[in-house]
Structures are given as C-alpha cells and as structure tokens.
Amino acid sequence: MLDALIGRRLANREQGEQKIGWIAGVPAMGLDGLGSSSYGPEAALTILMPLGAASLAWIGWVIAPIVALLAVLYFSYRQTILAYPSNGGAYTVAKENLGPMASLLAAAALMIDYVLNVAVGISAGVGALTSSVPGLQPWTLELCLGILAVVAIANLRGTREAGWLFALPTYLFLLCFLGLIGWGLVQMVASGGHPHPVIAPPPLGHTMEAAGLWLLMHAFASGCTAMTGVEAVSNGVGAFKEPVVRNAHATLTVICVSLGLLLAGIAAVAHGYGLGAMDQTAAAYQSVLSQLAGAVAGRGVIYYVAMASLLAVLCLSANTSFVGFPRICRLVALDDYLPRGFAVADRRLVFSVGVIFLTVTAGGLLVAFGGITDHLIPLFAIGAFLTFTVSQVGMVAHWRQQQGRNAGRLAINALGAVTTFFALLVIGAAKFVEGAWIVVLAVPATIAILLLIRRYYDRLGRGMAATVPFALDDVDRPTVLVAYEERNRMTDRALQFAMTLSPDVLAVHLLRLSGPEQEEEIARLHDAFERDIAQPVAARGLTPPRLVQIPAPYREIEGPVLELVERIDEATPGRAVAILIPELALNHWWERLLHGRRAQRLRAALVAHAGPRLMIITSPWRRGLTP
Amino acid sequence: MLDALIGRRLANREQGEQKIGWIAGVPAMGLDGLGSSSYGPEAALTILMPLGAASLAWIGWVIAPIVALLAVLYFSYRQTILAYPSNGGAYTVAKENLGPMASLLAAAALMIDYVLNVAVGISAGVGALTSSVPGLQPWTLELCLGILAVVAIANLRGTREAGWLFALPTYLFLLCFLGLIGWGLVQMVASGGHPHPVIAPPPLGHTMEAAGLWLLMHAFASGCTAMTGVEAVSNGVGAFKEPVVRNAHATLTVICVSLGLLLAGIAAVAHGYGLGAMDQTAAAYQSVLSQLAGAVAGRGVIYYVAMASLLAVLCLSANTSFVGFPRICRLVALDDYLPRGFAVADRRLVFSVGVIFLTVTAGGLLVAFGGITDHLIPLFAIGAFLTFTVSQVGMVAHWRQQQGRNAGRLAINALGAVTTFFALLVIGAAKFVEGAWIVVLAVPATIAILLLIRRYYDRLGRGMAATVPFALDDVDRPTVLVAYEERNRMTDRALQFAMTLSPDVLAVHLLRLSGPEQEEEIARLHDAFERDIAQPVAARGLTPPRLVQIPAPYREIEGPVLELVERIDEATPGRAVAILIPELALNHWWERLLHGRRAQRLRAALVAHAGPRLMIITSPWRRGLTP
C-alpha cells in the first residue's frame, strides 16, 4: 500500500536521477516568490487606501525601493550560490563565517518562516477560491487541509516525479500576468497615458489623509512581503543537477526578473488604469490582480484562466517550503541540533521526517486559525528579512576572509546587508503590534530548543565515548535464566539455545496459584521437569538445567525476576547474567489481540532496570518451520 | 498517577477482603433488576394506550403473569445458587449439563445483554434527566459518556470501595417508591377505592380499540423487560464472602421481593388513581412513576428525592453489567473461547480487560445512537429470556443426573424452563420487526467468533505441544554477530558480552557512504578496530572478534543482516546464530523523540523472518552505571 501511495523504494545510486534542471527549478523553488507578487502590492495599496486617489501617485514611490532591494538581493544571492555550490543557505553561510549562534538564529528564522509560508500560502489560495465560489466558504478548513495533504504526498514521492504538477500553473501564471501587464502597458502608451479599461475598476475612495513618512514606511513594510521566497534557490542548490551553478543561476535569474517585472508592472498598470485596493470585508470585494485582469482584458476566458493559475500558484507556493524545510532541518540535524531522524533519507530518497514535521506543524496552525490566517501575514516579512540580513552579513565576513580581490563582491553583499537590515527595522517597527511580537518570542524559543537538543547529544556522546581501553575482565560463561511457563516446543528450543551458551542454566517458573494448590503445582512441575528434561541431559554427560519456581504475589513477573537476578549477581559478582525469553512470532495483525505482551513488558522492564552485566535474549519461535 | 486514579495495587492474599455481604450485594447486583421496574410497567401501559380508560382494567391482567414468572424464576435461581455456589451463571450450568454449544449460546446472549444494558440504562437515565432539566438536552451524548466513565472507573477500583456510591441511591429508591406505593394503597383502602390524588394525573385517552389477545401479548412482552437483571446474583456468586450461599440467597430474596412489590404495587396504584402512559414525544410528557409520585404525595420534597433516586438507579444500573460482564468473559476465556487477557486479574484484583472492553463497546453504541437508544429496548428482553431458558433447561438436566430425590426441584426448574421459553417466543414474535432480528443475527455471529478463537488456540496448542523428546543435537557455541556502528562504551560492552558466549564473534558494520569515500571509510574503520579491539584481545591469547563491513544500498539494515545470517547458516549448518544488538535505556519519555527505533525495527524483522537457529540478544546500556 505504501508503494502504491508513495512509489517504490529507491537505491542510493539512483540519487543522481532525482536532481533537477532550471526549467523544473523555477516552479520547485519559485512559487513562493512569484506568488507573493499577488499579495505584496495589494498589501501596500491597502495601507495607502486612506490616501484615496492620491495613492496612485505614491504607489510607484513605494514599489520602486522594493524592486531595487530585489535587484540587490539578486546580485547578492548570485554570489552566494557561486561561493556555496552545494548549499548556500543562510544557515551554512552564517555557520562558516559568523559562528554557531548566528547560524542558529538563521535556522530558527528560516524554519519558522517555512511553516508560516505553508499555512499562509494555502489559506490565501483557499481564501481567493472561496471569494470566487462563495458556496465553498463553510469548507475552508477542509479545503486547506486537503491541499496540504496533496502537496505533502507529492513531496513524499520526491520532487522529480511531481514536477509537472507545479510547472504547469507556474508557467501559465507567468504567461498570463506578464502578458496582461504587457498588453496593459501597450494600451497605456498607445492612448497617451489614459487607457480605456475593458471593465472599469471600482472608483477609489476619498482622500482621508495626506501621505506621511510613517504611512509610506508602513506601506513599504507591507509591500516587502513580496520578497519572501527569494532565498529558496540558494537554500536548495543541492537539488540541481550538473552543471549545478549554471542551473541555479538560471533559476534565480528567471525568478527574480519575473518577480521584478510583475511588481513594477503591477504598479505601473495600477497607476495607469486607476486601480486601488478595496476593503476585504465588504461585499463585491475584488483583489488588485482581479481588477487588473478585468481592466486590461475583460471577463473573458483569459480572465478566468489567469485567476485559476493564480489560485494554483498560491496554493502550491507551499511547495517551496516543502523543498526547503527538510533540507534546512537536515543540515541542522547533522550538527546535532535536531533529532537525528531529520538527517536520514527515506525509501524514496526524501527527508521524510522533515516533510511530515512540516505538514503536522502547518496543519496545526491551519486548524488553530480555522484556515483563515490573515493575522499571520505580518509575521512573514520579519522572518524572511532576518534571514536575508544574516545571510548577507555572513557573505561579507566570507569575502573578508577570502584572499584575492573581492572588494566589489564584498561591497555588493554589504549593500545588501545594510538595506535588508534597514528594511527589517522598518518592518519590525511597523508590524510589531500587529503580530511581529510573536516572531520576536518564537525565534529565541526555537533557538533554546535547538541548544537543548545539542546539549543532550553532547552529553550522551561524552557519556558513551570509549575513553578506557577495551578490556576483558571476565570471559566466564554467563548464568542463563530461561522464562519457563510450561513445557512445549518453544521452551524446549529456548533451553536448547541456553545450553549452547553456558552449562549454568536455570529455568524460571512463576507460580500462579497459592495456598495448598501451590504445593501440588510445585511438586508436579518439578517431577515433570526432572523426567522430561534434566535426566535426558544428564544421561548425555552434560550439566542439566535446574528448575526454579518463584511466587508472584502481585501477579506480575518483572519484580520477582529482577529480584532473582540481583541475588544471582550478589552470589557470583563479575559474571554476566543472560535472561532468555521465548517469543512467538505472529503472522497476522489480529493475533496481537489474542496474545498478551508479557514478553515485551518483561524485556522493557529488564532494559530499564538492568544492572551492568545483564543481557536479554529473545528466542523467537515461528510456526511451520522444521528445526 | 495510576495509583491516584485507581488505587494501590493489591496482593493475592487480599482477595478475601474484596468480597461483599448481602447488604452491599443488593446494590451491586440488583440495580438492573430494580431499575427496570421503572420502564417495564411503563412499556406495557404504552402498548395498552389505545385502550384508553379500559387499559386500567387490563393492566392487572398483564402484570400478574409477569409477577408470577418472577416468582418462578426466584425459586429456580435459589436452587441454582445452591447447586453452584462458586458461580452458577447460565454459562456454567449449560456447559456442565448441556454441552459446549449450549454454553456458548448462553454466553453470547449474556454478553450482548450486558452491553445493551449498559447503553440503555445510562441513556434512559440521562433521558429522564433531560426531561426534568430540558436545558441539558444538547449535552445528552456527553452526559452519557461521562456517566459511563464514572461507572467504569469505579469498577476499575474494585467493587468494595465504590460500594457506597451504589448503595445510597438503591436503598433510597426502595424506600421512596415502596413508601409511595404503600401510602397510595392506604389511601385507596381508606377512600373505598376512589382515592383523591394530590396532583391529578392527566386524563386517559379515548378508547380506540378493544383489547385483543395480540395486544395483550404485546403488552406482556413489553412488560417482561421488567425482569432483566434477575440472573445477576447467580452469575456473581463468586463475589460474596462467607457464608456464600446464605448471602447470595438473601440478596436474591431482597431483589425479587422488592421487584415483585414494585410491579404489583405500580399496577395497583395505577388502577386506583387512573394513571396511564403518555405519548413520549408530546409536550408535558410525564412518566408513569412521575405521575404516581405526584398523585400520591404531590410535588413536594418527597417527589424530587424520589425522582432523583430513580435517575441515579437508572444510570447506575449499568453497574450490574460491570460486575457481571468481566466474570462471564473470564469463564469463557478460561475455556479458550476468548483471548486470555480476559481471564487475568489486574493490579486491583479486577478483571480489567473485561471492564474496558465493555466500556468501549457500550460507548460505541452510545455514540452510534447519539445517546438515545429507544430502539434498543425491545432487544433487551430477548437476550435475557434466552439466558433464563438455557439456565433452566440446564438445571433440569442437572437434577436428572443427580442422585437422590430431586423430583420437586426438577419440577420447579422445568416449570421455569417452559414458562420462560413461552415468554421468549411471545417476545420474539411481538418484537421481531421492531428490532429483535438484530439479536437473532448478533447471537450466532458472536458464537462464531468464540468458536474461531477457540480453534486458533487449539491449533496453536497442537503446534506447540512437545511431542518429541527433549533433544540436544548440537551444543556447539553459536556464532555471535554484534551490530557495530562505531566504537563506544555501548559497543565495547556488547563485544565483551559476545566474547563470554562464544569465540566466534563478528562485528557487523553497515556502510553508509558510497563511491570513493567508501574505500576510505572501510580502511579507517578496519585499522581502528584492529588497533583498539582485535590486538588487545589476541594479546591475551583469546580469539579476537572480526569486523565485517556490508553495504546497504537501500539504507536499511534488516535486509543485509538477514542475508548475512543466511550465508552463515549455509556455511555452518546446525550451529546456532546469535545477533547481539546494543540498546540504550531511555530515562525520559521525550528521549524517544531523539532516538530512532533502529534497534527495535531490526529485532522485529529478525523475529518475523528468523530461521530456526537464530536468537536475538539485547545488550542494554544504562547511563550512570559503573560496570
């Protein structure tokens, strides 16, 4: 069943076939960045709404710095990819250039960012869907979880095979909206700056206030959410096939140029056609992109195709996180800051622990917020710009340590660091009350957990390190105890195994009855044991096993057995003790209902309370085999 | 925490202190029977409703046979208790006198009956509660499950300590209603047959039809639900303390006499005061007992106390099943028809598997019907009368086999068998469409499952029986494989253990890397092993362990290890192979998140696919111990 759902297992040598080129790279890593072009400008225009018609005059001044920042980041990340062709995420850059604490800061910011991205991306997409088809509104949460499941399973199968699922909407989205924007610009030029919209956009509101610096900074901060996702390529360089750096650069270029064209184009067309943001809670609400498409091309086929591709891009933008999150978790786990399960590739060469962890966390967020996560959007940009800043500072430190003439490269990354840090401050200040304080709390909490995990592994490693030479104090054969309920083939084999290990074998029987019936039971078992087992063995000249019968006043076996082991330990110090527990191999799942877990409970109790010279032997018995 | 919720564990010798006398026996086993006095007559009157005022004339004729049947059952069960002073349930009586198939019939009927009783009793009580306090109506299911949980926990603690919880409502109920009935009868006599009701009962409806035989039989069948629960005492004789038979007889007498007085008294008072059943779905619905209490004593304190005690009795009537069900399951399990877990007393000397199974099944029924189980009431009487009939027939067979003059005793049980069988036919015919067909299906299905379970255990026993003499073909020391990831204290100890067992020790290492790095890894590990382990051992004159490094192309260890074991088996046939797996003992629950389950998975795979000469050794390692 697992094969049907997720696919056949893959050998290590197939790993090369799972890597991708730039054409598949753009959808795999760019959905987040490209999709944020839909809510970035809209968020900025929403802040500018009180300016009324004057918002059109200012939108350019807000978008332009964002596009410039994007350009700076583009050139900075080109260099990062070049310097770190296996993985150039902020984590690695910080770890190698700034030290462990900075790397944990980057890791925490990235991980939180990825989880938020999944939750917000999916819910934004579903929210857009339910505003087109209001009948689906009551199923918001179910739709969100359903899409989450689809994306999770696609990722458990491995990126390569699910590639087409993401490529189609991505390239369709780019085609539609770059086309719409281009046609809109043509119309604007052709009509001398006053194009005639096919469907008139709603009128803008009255001017309530004048544009102030605080308002513009706030709009800039909201618009910066358009840049989340740009770091995905440098995080995931390890996914590309040869030539790795060229493919990664090509992917980054396509994503950044497209995003820049989209942002600038949206601003220009909005200015030209007079589009503004609308109140999301009012009736007849239309998003900015919806107004744009309607104004440029009307409500024809193109409109619905474009909106559908937008919906798909938003919903699937979660996929960028599903590619990035397991990889960052793997890097962090390899440094012992996360449980080791995150670093292991599963049967499909996917880091499935990371995928599942992300699914559960994002799913929890969706359930907690009922699939409506408008409150989380402000938190977005904080984490992303924190990551940008740490990455850029790390690259500056990198170029300083490198030999050779890197002044130009250093300057680019320095500019990036300064600008992103400034943007981070602006965003933090503007959004603090709205929700940024949550990130301010979550990042240190995550770092604390990572440090605790590392401390655990360090202690464990120190405790287990073989500091003393390999010593053999005692090679005496151990005393072997055999859990003996009654004579049957299973216990016969257990005793046979025991006798290959040592001449000192004790069969341990737990007395069930009490009172006078107990005397009878003891005598009967003793006689049967002597006759069936001890005498045949002695006749062969070997030391026969001895039967020990112990009372169990509380009806459980663990206590009496542990006591017996202690007494043997005191009597023969330095000698090992082995406890042999017969276990029936079960052929069907329903057999578990018909058998207790006494063997497992006894073993668990022995493991938990074992002295240093105790070993526990399982003697499995499979039915149908002829020994 | 378990101690706080359920109590400290009890030793076998404390078993005597857990037994009860007749005063505690009446509530423990009589709640079902006494509580059914509330819905039995009401159900009969409901059937008679179309007769209008004429129903009063016929109610006596319907209740009288029921009371007579009760008397017959009383004397019959007195004899059963006498003949079977350890347990005289229908199961044992049938098994010893009629054979296994009859006993399974009785067992299935009893088990289904107990589950239905729990579900219906609790929901009937909650239903009465929500008709008194309509605001609780939306919480019906939650109230049902909550009460189920309370009764279940009280039973997990053991009957004795929870006795007062059941005794108070039982004796209060008896006091109130026998008192009300008595006072009503006094008023009827004093007023010459026309008593003046304190609160006038609602008027009876018009006469719609004349009384026919079918209608009267149907009313009789519904009224028979008043007799469910009478068998509880003979089923649970094992719970009484010395003198066992006297206590059991006293309990049975109190229960039957009280039930008989209640049934006859309700009929008489209903006749005298003109009380009839009302439409349950109509507004201002009042139960018959509510009308009775109102008519005799008005709506004062007595009324509310009486109704409260009735509610408690109904809800707690489930407890009778919680005493009986685990005991019948234990008997059936001791004969291998149920999983053995049902036959084991837990830390509180309670048969907790049975309690939990009953809780889950009844809970499932409650959830499936939303806490409203009116449809199940008709199924009740079928199972109960089937049990009665089987029990009585068994007793007839018992007396026939006994020596001595038992003609009188045989006649009593024969009369009981004939009458209950006749009642069974009437109930089956009357209720078949309403739901008795469910029982007709469920009983054979249950019997089939019991037979399948018995067949499984029989086959298992045959397969495991030691039919061949104890043989020792081979006492050569086994080949020991040690799972070797890296050198640390844990693997040092594992190797030391291995060397006490055999001179042929192989340390098995799984190669993680591939390609050119693999060559490096192999060489490095080999050199370290030679230097740290093999040479010191050889220097002492012992056979050193050898390091085997195997590739794992699918990254899992089970496949390569099983292959290695097969090759060793072929090379050295007849010799045992032991695989030693080091396991770290975890001190806290959260450590499970930080460690994989590789040791457990490997052991599970080995147990499932082991050849006949394989044993699996766990070498536990606890931190903090000095070896």
Side-chain angles (χ1 to χ4, degrees):
Chain A
M1 186 186 86
L2 205 63
D3 271 1
L5 191 63
I6 294 180
R8 62 172 185 80
R9 62 177 184 170
L10 300 171
N12 281 341
R13 55 177 168 73
E14 296 187 78
Q15 204 159 15
E17 300 163 16
Q18 294 301 100
K19 295 189 184 292
I20 56 180
W22 72 265
I23 297 183
V26 169
M29 300 180 186
L31 277 170
D32 182 11
L34 296 173
S36 51
S37 67
S38 75
Y39 47 78
E42 169 130 6
L45 281 169
T46 306
I47 302 298
L48 293 179
M49 260 205 314
L51 299 184
S55 65
L56 298 179
W58 289 103
I59 187 60
W61 289 103
V62 171
I63 294 291
I66 295 177
V67 175
L69 205 48
L70 179 63
V72 172
L73 277 179
Y74 168 68
F75 287 109
S76 303
Y77 274 111
R78 271 190 77 103
Q79 298 192 158
T80 307
I81 290 172
L82 194 64
Y84 290 91
S86 58
N87 59 70
Y91 178 75
T92 311
V93 172
K95 185 175 73 168
E96 295 196 4
N97 298 297
L98 299 174
M101 284 310 290
S103 71
L104 291 183
L105 180 64
L110 267 173
M111 284 160 61
I112 290 170
D113 208 37
Y114 281 135
V115 174
L116 283 173
N117 179 43
V118 170
V120 173
I122 290 181
S123 64
V126 169
L129 173 66
T130 57
S131 27
S132 322
V133 186
L136 293 174
Q137 170 74 11
W139 303 104
T140 301
L141 182 58
E142 287 82 0
L143 285 168
C144 287
L145 295 176
I147 291 169
L148 179 66
V150 167
V151 178
I153 290 176
N155 276 279
L156 284 174
R157 288 190 72 97
T159 316
R160 181 168 175 78
E161 289 188 22
W164 61 265
L165 175 67
F166 302 112
L168 179 62
T170 308
Y171 287 112
L172 190 62
F173 167 82
L174 283 177
L175 190 70
C176 287
F177 280 95
L178 288 176
L180 283 168
I181 287 169
W183 186 243
L185 290 173
V186 163
Q187 295 285 320
M188 281 163 60
V189 166
S191 63
H194 297 283
H196 182 74
V198 178
I199 292 183
L204 299 161
H206 298 296
T207 305
M208 312 258 207
E209 53 182 276
L213 183 63
W214 178 251
L215 187 75
L216 291 176
M217 281 169 64
H218 205 159
F220 167 81
S222 286
C224 276
T225 57
M227 297 227 285
T228 57
V230 172
E231 76 288 351
V233 178
S234 76
N235 280 346
V237 181
F240 287 104
K241 65 186 180 189
E242 297 293 337
V244 170
V245 173
R246 262 191 62 184
N247 278 320
H249 275 172
T251 307
L252 184 68
T253 305
V254 170
I255 291 173
C256 288
V257 166
S258 305
L259 184 56
L261 289 176
L262 283 168
L263 293 177
I266 290 172
V269 173
H271 181 98
Y273 279 80
L275 313 173
M278 296 175 66
D279 184 352
Q280 281 196 21
T281 55
Y285 159 77
Q286 275 198 70
S287 69
V288 168
L289 283 188
S290 170
Q291 297 177 44
L292 188 150
V296 170
R299 288 252 171 168
V301 173
I302 306 243
Y303 171 86
Y304 286 107
V305 168
M307 293 311 286
S309 73
L310 169 64
L311 282 172
V313 163
L314 277 176
C315 291
L316 298 175
S317 67
N319 190 63
T320 312
S321 299
F322 274 94
V323 174
F325 184 87
R327 288 178 191 277
I328 183 72
C329 286
R330 173 168 186 263
L331 293 179
V332 173
L334 285 174
D335 289 336
D336 275 349
Y337 289 103
L338 273 179
R340 290 166 182 157
F342 284 91
V344 175
D346 73 348
R347 59 200 302 279
R348 295 284 296 173
L349 289 170
V350 169
F351 301 112
S352 52
V353 175
V355 171
I356 291 170
F357 188 82
L358 177 62
T359 308
V360 169
T361 323
L365 266 182
L366 284 169
V367 168
F369 285 81
I372 301 168
T373 50
D374 284 338
H375 301 128
L376 290 171
I377 288 188
L379 281 64
F380 239 177
I382 300 274
F385 276 79
L386 186 54
T387 310
F388 293 154
T389 309
V390 172
S391 176
Q392 300 307 308
V393 171
M395 287 305 289
V396 169
H398 173 80
W399 295 125
R400 283 189 61 177
Q401 292 166 22
Q402 290 280 321
Q403 305 202 337
R405 295 164 52 188
N406 295 314
R409 295 184 170 137
L410 192 147
I412 291 177
N413 282 123
L415 176 65
V418 166
T419 45
T420 52
F421 183 65
F422 179 70
L424 174 65
L425 291 179
V426 170
I427 296 167
K431 301 286 184 187
F432 190 83
V433 178
E434 284 181 46
W437 62 270
I438 298 179
V439 177
V440 171
L441 289 182
V443 168
T446 308
I447 294 177
I449 293 175
L450 298 181
L451 286 172
L452 283 174
I453 293 176
R454 169 77 184 235
R455 189 175 74 160
Y456 172 84
Y457 282 128
D458 281 351
R459 280 187 177 169
L460 188 65
R462 280 197 303 272
M464 291 222 307
T467 46
V468 293
F470 184 75
L472 281 175
D473 303 315
D474 209 329
V475 281
D476 285 346
R477 303 172 84 166
T479 313
V480 182
L481 308 181
V482 176
Y484 193 83
E485 204 176 330
E486 56 172 13
R487 182 167 177 236
N488 53 40
R489 289 190 189 179
M490 209 161 75
T491 53
D492 269 6
R493 176 182 299 173
L495 285 170
Q496 286 157 359
F497 275 154
M499 301 201 63
T500 70
L501 299 177
S502 167
D504 292 313
V505 177
L506 294 176
V508 179
H509 175 81
L510 192 72
L511 290 167
R512 294 205 183 287
L513 310 171
S514 45
E517 295 163 314
Q518 197 181 73
E519 302 286 329
E520 225 184 274
E521 186 187 358
I522 294 177
R524 187 176 53 80
L525 274 167
H526 179 82
D527 294 340
F529 193 85
E530 282 296 310
R531 178 191 70 224
D532 295 328
I533 297 180
Q535 279 165 9
V537 171
R540 279 194 55 164
L542 303 162
T543 318
R546 288 168 290 152
L547 178 64
V548 173
Q549 306 198 44
I550 49 180
Y554 292 97
R555 301 168 298 290
E556 41 93 20
I557 192 174
E558 292 89 7
V561 168
L562 282 168
E563 272 181 46
L564 181 61
V565 170
E566 266 187 55
R567 281 186 283 145
I568 292 175
D569 243 358
E570 286 164 19
T572 58
R575 263 182 90 182
V577 177
I579 300 185
L580 210 149
I581 307 171
E583 184 172 329
L584 179 70
L586 302 179
N587 300 334
H588 310 276
W589 62 269
W590 45 262
E591 291 192 73
R592 289 187 211 178
L593 303 172
L594 298 170
H595 292 278
R597 289 181 41 88
R598 275 171 307 173
Q600 292 87 330
R601 277 207 309 264
L602 178 58
R603 184 174 54 236
L606 291 171
V607 169
H609 299 106
R613 277 174 301 282
L614 182 72
M615 60 181 121
I616 304 152
I617 309 179
T618 301
S619 158
W621 201 78
R622 277 171 69 199
R623 281 158 287 174
L625 290 185
T626 48
Chain B
M1 186 188 84
L2 205 65
D3 272 359
L5 191 65
I6 292 177
R8 62 171 182 80
R9 63 178 183 170
L10 300 170
N12 282 340
R13 52 177 172 70
E14 297 185 78
Q15 204 157 12
E17 299 161 21
Q18 292 302 102
K19 295 190 184 285
I20 55 179
W22 72 265
I23 296 185
V26 169
M29 301 179 187
L31 278 171
D32 182 11
L34 296 173
S36 52
S37 68
S38 74
Y39 48 76
E42 169 130 6
L45 282 169
T46 305
I47 303 298
L48 294 178
M49 261 206 310
L51 300 184
S55 64
L56 299 178
W58 290 103
I59 187 60
W61 290 104
V62 170
I63 295 293
I66 296 178
V67 176
L69 205 50
L70 181 62
V72 171
L73 278 178
Y74 168 68
F75 287 106
S76 304
Y77 273 112
R78 269 188 79 101
Q79 299 192 160
T80 307
I81 291 171
L82 195 64
Y84 288 91
S86 58
N87 58 71
Y91 178 74
T92 311
V93 171
K95 186 174 72 166
E96 295 195 5
N97 298 298
L98 299 173
M101 284 310 291
S103 71
L104 290 182
L105 180 65
L110 267 173
M111 286 160 65
I112 291 170
D113 207 36
Y114 281 135
V115 173
L116 283 174
N117 178 44
V118 171
V120 173
I122 290 181
S123 64
V126 169
L129 173 66
T130 57
S131 28
S132 322
V133 186
L136 292 175
Q137 169 74 12
W139 303 103
T140 302
L141 182 58
E142 287 82 357
L143 284 168
C144 289
L145 295 177
I147 291 168
L148 178 66
V150 167
V151 177
I153 290 175
N155 277 277
L156 285 174
R157 285 189 73 97
T159 316
R160 181 167 176 78
E161 289 188 24
W164 61 266
L165 176 68
F166 302 111
L168 180 61
T170 308
Y171 287 112
L172 190 62
F173 169 81
L174 284 177
L175 190 68
C176 287
F177 280 95
L178 288 176
L180 283 168
I181 288 170
W183 187 243
L185 290 172
V186 164
Q187 293 286 326
M188 282 165 60
V189 168
S191 64
H194 297 284
H196 183 72
V198 177
I199 292 185
L204 297 161
H206 299 293
T207 305
M208 313 257 207
E209 53 184 277
L213 182 62
W214 176 250
L215 187 77
L216 291 176
M217 281 169 63
H218 204 157
F220 167 81
S222 287
C224 276
T225 57
M227 298 225 285
T228 58
V230 172
E231 77 286 350
V233 179
S234 76
N235 280 346
V237 180
F240 288 103
K241 63 187 182 192
E242 297 291 335
V244 170
V245 174
R246 260 192 63 184
N247 278 321
H249 275 170
T251 306
L252 185 69
T253 305
V254 171
I255 292 174
C256 289
V257 167
S258 306
L259 185 56
L261 288 176
L262 283 167
L263 293 177
I266 290 173
V269 173
H271 182 96
Y273 278 80
L275 312 173
M278 298 175 65
D279 183 354
Q280 281 197 23
T281 56
Y285 160 76
Q286 274 199 70
S287 68
V288 168
L289 284 187
S290 170
Q291 298 178 46
L292 187 148
V296 171
R299 290 249 170 172
V301 171
I302 306 241
Y303 172 85
Y304 286 106
V305 168
M307 294 310 285
S309 73
L310 168 64
L311 282 174
V313 162
L314 278 175
C315 292
L316 298 175
S317 67
N319 189 62
T320 313
S321 300
F322 273 94
V323 173
F325 184 89
R327 287 177 193 277
I328 182 72
C329 287
R330 174 169 186 264
L331 293 179
V332 173
L334 285 174
D335 290 335
D336 276 348
Y337 289 104
L338 274 178
R340 292 168 180 157
F342 284 92
V344 176
D346 73 348
R347 60 203 297 283
R348 292 285 298 174
L349 289 170
V350 169
F351 302 112
S352 50
V353 176
V355 172
I356 291 169
F357 188 83
L358 176 63
T359 308
V360 169
T361 323
L365 266 183
L366 284 169
V367 169
F369 285 83
I372 300 168
T373 50
D374 286 336
H375 301 129
L376 291 170
I377 287 187
L379 280 65
F380 240 178
I382 302 272
F385 276 79
L386 185 56
T387 311
F388 293 155
T389 309
V390 172
S391 176
Q392 301 306 310
V393 172
M395 286 306 291
V396 168
H398 173 81
W399 297 123
R400 283 188 61 176
Q401 290 165 20
Q402 289 282 322
Q403 306 201 339
R405 295 166 50 190
N406 293 316
R409 293 181 172 142
L410 192 148
I412 291 178
N413 282 122
L415 176 64
V418 167
T419 46
T420 51
F421 184 66
F422 179 69
L424 176 65
L425 291 178
V426 170
I427 296 166
K431 299 286 183 185
F432 190 82
V433 179
E434 285 180 44
W437 62 270
I438 298 179
V439 177
V440 170
L441 290 182
V443 168
T446 306
I447 295 177
I449 292 174
L450 297 181
L451 287 171
L452 283 174
I453 292 175
R454 170 75 185 235
R455 189 175 75 159
Y456 173 84
Y457 281 128
D458 282 350
R459 280 187 177 170
L460 189 64
R462 281 197 301 271
M464 290 223 307
T467 47
V468 294
F470 185 76
L472 281 176
D473 303 315
D474 209 327
V475 281
D476 285 346
R477 301 172 83 166
T479 312
V480 182
L481 308 182
V482 177
Y484 192 83
E485 205 177 330
E486 56 172 11
R487 181 167 176 235
N488 54 41
R489 287 194 190 175
M490 208 162 76
T491 53
D492 270 5
R493 178 183 297 172
L495 285 171
Q496 287 158 0
F497 275 156
M499 303 201 60
T500 70
L501 298 175
S502 169
D504 292 313
V505 177
L506 294 176
V508 180
H509 176 80
L510 193 70
L511 291 166
R512 294 206 184 288
L513 309 172
S514 44
E517 296 163 317
Q518 199 183 71
E519 302 286 328
E520 223 182 278
E521 186 188 359
I522 292 178
R524 187 176 54 77
L525 272 167
H526 179 82
D527 294 341
F529 193 84
E530 283 295 311
R531 177 191 72 224
D532 294 326
I533 297 180
Q535 281 167 8
V537 172
R540 276 193 61 165
L542 301 161
T543 317
R546 288 167 290 154
L547 178 64
V548 172
Q549 306 198 43
I550 49 179
Y554 293 97
R555 299 168 300 290
E556 42 92 21
I557 192 175
E558 294 87 7
V561 168
L562 282 168
E563 272 181 44
L564 181 61
V565 170
E566 266 188 54
R567 283 188 280 143
I568 292 175
D569 243 358
E570 286 166 21
T572 58
R575 263 183 90 183
V577 177
I579 299 186
L580 211 149
I581 307 172
E583 185 172 327
L584 180 70
L586 303 179
N587 300 334
H588 309 276
W589 63 266
W590 44 263
E591 291 193 73
R592 290 188 211 175
L593 303 172
L594 298 171
H595 293 278
R597 290 179 44 88
R598 276 172 306 173
Q600 292 87 330
R601 278 208 307 265
L602 177 58
R603 185 173 56 238
L606 292 171
V607 169
H609 298 106
R613 278 174 302 281
L614 183 73
M615 60 180 121
I616 304 151
I617 308 180
T618 302
S619 158
W621 202 79
R622 278 171 69 200
R623 283 157 285 173
L625 290 184
T626 49

